[in-house]
Amino acid sequence: MSIKDLYQPKRPVVSFEIFPPKKDNAIKSIYEALGQMAALSPDFISVTYGAGGSGNANRTVELASFIQRRYGIKSLAHLTCAGTPHDKIHHLLTHMHSEGIHNILALRGDPPEDASSSSSSSSSSSSSNTYRYAEDLIRDIRSREKFCIGAACYPEGHIDCDTMRLDMDYLRRKQDAGADFLITQLFFDNNIFFRFQEEIRRRGITLPLSAGVMPILGQAQIERMIFMCGVSLPAGIVKLLHKYKHNPEDLRKAGIEHAATQLADLLRQGVDGVHIYTMNKPDIAASCMKHIGRIN
Ligand code: FAD
């Protein structure tokens, strides 16, 4: 049941990401969407986890477990550690194990707003009972339970990190701590991904690498991505946003088309895997799978 075993030469891994809805009344729709996505036969489906361990932690486990039991598709449960005490994480790991979850995307997450505004106090508390970086969580999981561990990486550098060089040094530490594979943050220009891939390989980071692709669905979503994640916009995307600024339906279509073209190019150029940020929309997943020839 290990995701790392899916990565094999000449057989790219195609995966989807979903998120547990925050509102109770939306939970039915995610189960319906999962049925449609499972029919597209992705290699695995990942389920996000609320920042700071709040909110939808149980939902992540519930959905990740359901995907495996109901559809026989491997699932990847995201887990963030920022601000979470060790014993809470250990309890959760035991629970995941008992639910048959063996694959975890180990993340720092984003510290709560109040913690990041006083970085010195948050860093001293994080050194005692909570984790400071994803690297610490990866090392802890590796020492305790038998999980396959994924980690996040950033083709344009993490938004908090001053230089790409430092960010890649830290990525190397995630590999050394015991990560088994990597998934990137979204990017809109494949050249950025290929440069990043080349550079991390040069630095001895050999883990399988899945390229994360997110279709553009609207102007607000793009603004969030730029300011929250530091993702850059190539001229082609800026032109799309301009061309369809009064036509959200056509922008959505063009955004999905752009993502599908990105995916096809990545696969043609031999990437280890592609990870589709589906935003819980089966039609997006289906369009992408069709375009890359995974379904008719
Ligand atoms: P880290 O690897 O700990 O890095 C965080 C920052 O610290 C970076 O700037 C890094 O350069 C720096 N750093 C790392 N190690 C060190 C070190 N040893 N010394 C000094 N600096 C260091 N968020 C959620 O809340 N829920 C999710 O489900 C979720 N899923 C994600 C899935 C993917 C594929 C990706 C790419 C991101 C996801 N995120 C999610 C967002 C993620 O939690 C944030 O980007 C977070 O800010 C960083 O997490 P990380 O695990 O990469 O952290």
Side-chain angles (χ1 to χ4, degrees):
M1 274 304 233
S2 182
I3 284 178
K4 73 172 179 209
D5 297 333
L6 293 172
Y7 290 94
Q8 284 167 20
K10 301 199 166 92
R11 208 270 174 201
V13 172
V14 178
S15 52
F16 295 164
E17 179 168 305
I18 63 153
F19 58 86
K22 284 217 171 78
K23 296 198 177 109
D24 282 347
N25 59 9
I27 197 75
K28 190 166 162 255
S29 63
I30 186 64
Y31 280 99
E32 285 166 9
L34 269 178
Q36 295 170 52
M37 289 197 216
L40 304 170
S41 303
D43 292 304
F44 70 86
I45 299 178
S46 84
V47 187
T48 67
Y49 186 91
S54 63
N56 55 11
N58 289 337
R59 288 269 155 80
T60 301
V61 178
E62 177 189 318
L63 286 168
S65 171
F66 174 81
I67 289 163
Q68 296 187 151
R69 272 186 288 109
R70 176 74 176 81
Y71 300 111
I73 294 175
K74 288 183 180 42
S75 65
L76 173 66
H78 297 206
L79 177 62
T80 65
C81 62
T84 312
H86 291 154
D87 55 354
K88 193 168 172 202
I89 293 283
H90 296 164
H91 181 76
L92 202 49
L93 289 172
T94 307
H95 177 48
M96 286 177 166
H97 207 264
S98 70
E99 288 292 313
I101 295 167
H102 304 295
N103 300 286
I104 294 181
L105 188 70
L107 300 150
R108 183 194 69 174
D110 291 312
E113 289 287 309
D114 49 347
S116 56
S117 61
S118 60
S119 58
S120 58
S121 64
S122 76
S123 58
S124 62
S125 67
S126 63
S127 60
S128 54
N129 188 33
T130 57
Y131 305 82
R132 193 154 183 204
Y133 299 111
E135 172 197 341
D136 307 324
L137 177 63
I138 294 167
R139 193 172 295 104
D140 194 20
I141 298 175
R142 183 54 74 228
S143 71
R144 290 174 50 84
E145 316 266 359
K146 204 148 180 35
F147 284 107
C148 171
I149 307 171
C153 60
Y154 303 84
E156 298 181 73
H158 184 264
I159 191 154
D160 294 340
C161 197
D162 291 338
T163 68
M164 273 304 292
R165 190 185 58 73
L166 260 182
D167 209 33
M168 286 190 273
D169 288 348
Y170 299 139
L171 184 58
R172 174 66 199 246
R173 291 168 71 138
K174 295 201 224 186
Q175 171 172 285
D176 296 344
D180 292 306
F181 65 96
L182 302 171
I183 302 180
T184 75
Q185 178 170 268
L186 66 126
F187 53 89
F188 294 114
D189 176 353
N190 286 356
N191 290 324
I192 290 173
F193 172 83
F194 290 121
R195 273 200 298 276
F196 172 70
Q197 181 177 244
E198 196 182 320
E199 189 56 28
I200 63 169
R201 296 306 183 220
R202 212 175 58 72
R203 288 162 175 269
I205 299 170
T206 55
L207 296 177
L209 175 66
S210 274
V213 172
M214 179 183 279
I216 294 166
L217 297 186
Q219 185 102 25
Q221 170 213 13
I222 293 301
E223 279 163 16
R224 252 196 335 273
M225 292 307 149
I226 298 171
F227 292 109
M228 281 174 52
C229 308
V231 170
S232 64
L233 283 189
I237 298 284
V238 176
K239 284 180 181 166
L240 279 187
L241 292 171
H242 178 71
K243 183 169 176 190
Y244 298 119
K245 68 179 166 202
H246 300 304
N247 192 339
E249 247 331 285
D250 283 353
L251 176 60
R252 189 180 194 277
K253 271 192 218 142
I256 295 174
E257 177 74 30
H258 181 273
T261 307
Q262 255 192 293
L263 289 165
D265 177 54
L266 289 161
L267 292 170
R268 223 179 3 257
Q269 302 212 41
V271 295
D272 298 331
V274 289
H275 187 66
I276 304 170
Y277 293 103
T278 69
M279 290 164 286
N280 295 358
K281 309 237 182 285
D283 65 313
I284 290 182
S287 296
C288 291
M289 292 299 255
K290 203 166 180 177
H291 200 91
I292 61 176
R294 283 284 180 122
I295 56 165
N296 294 319

Short mmCIF file of all heavy atoms in Angstrom, two decimals, residues 216 218-220 222-223 226 233 235-246 251:
data_model
loop_
_atom_site.label_atom_id
_atom_site.label_comp_id
_atom_site.label_asym_id
_atom_site.label_seq_id
_atom_site.Cartn_x
_atom_site.Cartn_y
_atom_site.Cartn_z
N ILE A 216 -6.76 27.11 -13.43
CA ILE A 216 -7.28 28.42 -13.01
C ILE A 216 -8.79 28.39 -13.16
O ILE A 216 -9.31 28.05 -14.22
CB ILE A 216 -6.74 29.51 -13.95
CG1 ILE A 216 -5.24 29.61 -13.78
CG2 ILE A 216 -7.42 30.84 -13.72
CD1 ILE A 216 -4.60 30.42 -14.89
N GLY A 218 -10.68 31.14 -11.69
CA GLY A 218 -11.20 32.51 -11.59
C GLY A 218 -10.14 33.46 -11.08
O GLY A 218 -9.10 33.05 -10.57
N GLN A 219 -10.43 34.73 -11.22
CA GLN A 219 -9.50 35.80 -10.86
C GLN A 219 -9.12 35.77 -9.37
O GLN A 219 -7.96 35.88 -9.01
CB GLN A 219 -10.18 37.13 -11.19
CG GLN A 219 -9.34 38.35 -11.01
CD GLN A 219 -8.83 38.87 -12.35
OE1 GLN A 219 -9.44 38.62 -13.38
NE2 GLN A 219 -7.71 39.56 -12.33
N ALA A 220 -10.15 35.56 -8.52
CA ALA A 220 -9.90 35.62 -7.07
C ALA A 220 -8.96 34.51 -6.64
O ALA A 220 -8.06 34.71 -5.81
CB ALA A 220 -11.22 35.50 -6.31
N ILE A 222 -6.62 33.11 -8.39
CA ILE A 222 -5.26 33.43 -8.83
C ILE A 222 -4.62 34.45 -7.89
O ILE A 222 -3.46 34.31 -7.51
CB ILE A 222 -5.29 34.00 -10.27
CG1 ILE A 222 -5.74 32.91 -11.23
CG2 ILE A 222 -3.94 34.55 -10.69
CD1 ILE A 222 -4.83 31.71 -11.21
N GLU A 223 -5.40 35.45 -7.51
CA GLU A 223 -4.85 36.46 -6.59
C GLU A 223 -4.41 35.82 -5.28
O GLU A 223 -3.35 36.12 -4.74
CB GLU A 223 -5.88 37.56 -6.34
CG GLU A 223 -5.90 38.56 -7.48
CD GLU A 223 -7.15 39.42 -7.52
OE1 GLU A 223 -7.88 39.49 -6.51
OE2 GLU A 223 -7.41 40.02 -8.59
N ILE A 226 -1.09 33.99 -5.78
CA ILE A 226 0.07 34.86 -5.91
C ILE A 226 0.50 35.37 -4.53
O ILE A 226 1.66 35.30 -4.16
CB ILE A 226 -0.25 36.07 -6.82
CG1 ILE A 226 -0.59 35.59 -8.22
CG2 ILE A 226 0.93 37.05 -6.87
CD1 ILE A 226 -1.13 36.70 -9.11
N LEU A 233 3.09 34.58 -12.36
CA LEU A 233 2.16 34.43 -13.48
C LEU A 233 2.87 34.69 -14.80
O LEU A 233 3.35 35.79 -15.04
CB LEU A 233 1.03 35.47 -13.37
CG LEU A 233 -0.08 35.21 -12.37
CD1 LEU A 233 -1.20 36.23 -12.57
CD2 LEU A 233 -0.63 33.81 -12.51
N ALA A 235 3.20 35.50 -18.84
CA ALA A 235 2.43 36.46 -19.64
C ALA A 235 1.17 35.81 -20.23
O ALA A 235 0.11 36.43 -20.29
CB ALA A 235 3.32 37.00 -20.76
N GLY A 236 1.29 34.55 -20.61
CA GLY A 236 0.14 33.85 -21.21
C GLY A 236 -1.07 33.83 -20.28
O GLY A 236 -2.21 34.00 -20.71
N ILE A 237 -0.81 33.64 -19.00
CA ILE A 237 -1.91 33.59 -18.03
C ILE A 237 -2.47 35.00 -17.81
O ILE A 237 -3.68 35.20 -17.72
CB ILE A 237 -1.43 33.01 -16.68
CG1 ILE A 237 -0.94 31.59 -16.85
CG2 ILE A 237 -2.52 33.10 -15.62
CD1 ILE A 237 -2.01 30.56 -16.99
N VAL A 238 -1.58 35.97 -17.74
CA VAL A 238 -2.05 37.36 -17.55
C VAL A 238 -2.97 37.73 -18.72
O VAL A 238 -4.03 38.34 -18.53
CB VAL A 238 -0.85 38.33 -17.47
CG1 VAL A 238 -1.32 39.77 -17.38
CG2 VAL A 238 0.02 37.99 -16.27
N LYS A 239 -2.58 37.30 -19.93
CA LYS A 239 -3.42 37.62 -21.10
C LYS A 239 -4.78 36.93 -21.02
O LYS A 239 -5.80 37.51 -21.37
CB LYS A 239 -2.68 37.20 -22.38
CG LYS A 239 -1.58 38.17 -22.74
CD LYS A 239 -0.87 37.75 -24.00
CE LYS A 239 0.24 38.74 -24.30
NZ LYS A 239 1.18 38.24 -25.31
N LEU A 240 -4.77 35.68 -20.54
CA LEU A 240 -6.05 34.97 -20.38
C LEU A 240 -6.95 35.71 -19.40
O LEU A 240 -8.15 35.91 -19.64
CB LEU A 240 -5.83 33.57 -19.81
CG LEU A 240 -5.40 32.43 -20.72
CD1 LEU A 240 -5.41 31.12 -19.94
CD2 LEU A 240 -6.35 32.34 -21.90
N LEU A 241 -6.36 36.13 -18.28
CA LEU A 241 -7.14 36.84 -17.26
C LEU A 241 -7.73 38.12 -17.82
O LEU A 241 -8.87 38.50 -17.53
CB LEU A 241 -6.27 37.16 -16.04
CG LEU A 241 -5.81 35.95 -15.21
CD1 LEU A 241 -4.78 36.37 -14.17
CD2 LEU A 241 -7.01 35.29 -14.52
N HIS A 242 -6.93 38.79 -18.65
CA HIS A 242 -7.38 40.03 -19.26
C HIS A 242 -8.49 39.77 -20.29
O HIS A 242 -9.55 40.39 -20.26
CB HIS A 242 -6.19 40.73 -19.92
CG HIS A 242 -6.56 42.00 -20.61
ND1 HIS A 242 -6.92 43.13 -19.93
CD2 HIS A 242 -6.68 42.29 -21.94
CE1 HIS A 242 -7.22 44.08 -20.78
NE2 HIS A 242 -7.08 43.60 -22.01
N LYS A 243 -8.23 38.78 -21.14
CA LYS A 243 -9.17 38.49 -22.23
C LYS A 243 -10.56 38.11 -21.69
O LYS A 243 -11.58 38.49 -22.25
CB LYS A 243 -8.60 37.34 -23.05
CG LYS A 243 -9.41 36.94 -24.26
CD LYS A 243 -8.61 35.99 -25.13
CE LYS A 243 -9.44 35.50 -26.30
NZ LYS A 243 -8.77 34.41 -27.02
N TYR A 244 -10.57 37.33 -20.60
CA TYR A 244 -11.85 36.82 -20.10
C TYR A 244 -12.29 37.51 -18.81
O TYR A 244 -13.01 36.93 -18.01
CB TYR A 244 -11.75 35.31 -19.88
CG TYR A 244 -11.47 34.55 -21.16
CD1 TYR A 244 -10.32 33.80 -21.30
CD2 TYR A 244 -12.36 34.60 -22.23
CE1 TYR A 244 -10.05 33.10 -22.47
CE2 TYR A 244 -12.10 33.92 -23.41
CZ TYR A 244 -10.94 33.17 -23.53
OH TYR A 244 -10.69 32.50 -24.69
N LYS A 245 -11.84 38.75 -18.62
CA LYS A 245 -12.15 39.37 -17.31
C LYS A 245 -13.65 39.58 -17.10
O LYS A 245 -14.10 39.65 -15.96
CB LYS A 245 -11.35 40.66 -17.11
CG LYS A 245 -11.69 41.80 -17.98
CD LYS A 245 -10.81 42.99 -17.59
CE LYS A 245 -10.92 44.02 -18.70
NZ LYS A 245 -9.86 44.94 -18.79
N HIS A 246 -14.41 39.65 -18.18
CA HIS A 246 -15.86 39.81 -18.01
C HIS A 246 -16.60 38.52 -18.34
O HIS A 246 -17.81 38.53 -18.57
CB HIS A 246 -16.37 40.94 -18.90
CG HIS A 246 -15.73 42.26 -18.56
ND1 HIS A 246 -15.76 42.79 -17.30
CD2 HIS A 246 -15.01 43.12 -19.33
CE1 HIS A 246 -15.09 43.93 -17.29
NE2 HIS A 246 -14.62 44.15 -18.51
N LEU A 251 -13.21 31.94 -18.91
CA LEU A 251 -11.94 31.92 -18.18
C LEU A 251 -11.71 30.53 -17.57
O LEU A 251 -10.62 29.96 -17.65
CB LEU A 251 -11.92 32.99 -17.08
CG LEU A 251 -10.67 32.97 -16.19
CD1 LEU A 251 -9.40 33.21 -17.02
CD2 LEU A 251 -10.76 34.01 -15.08
#
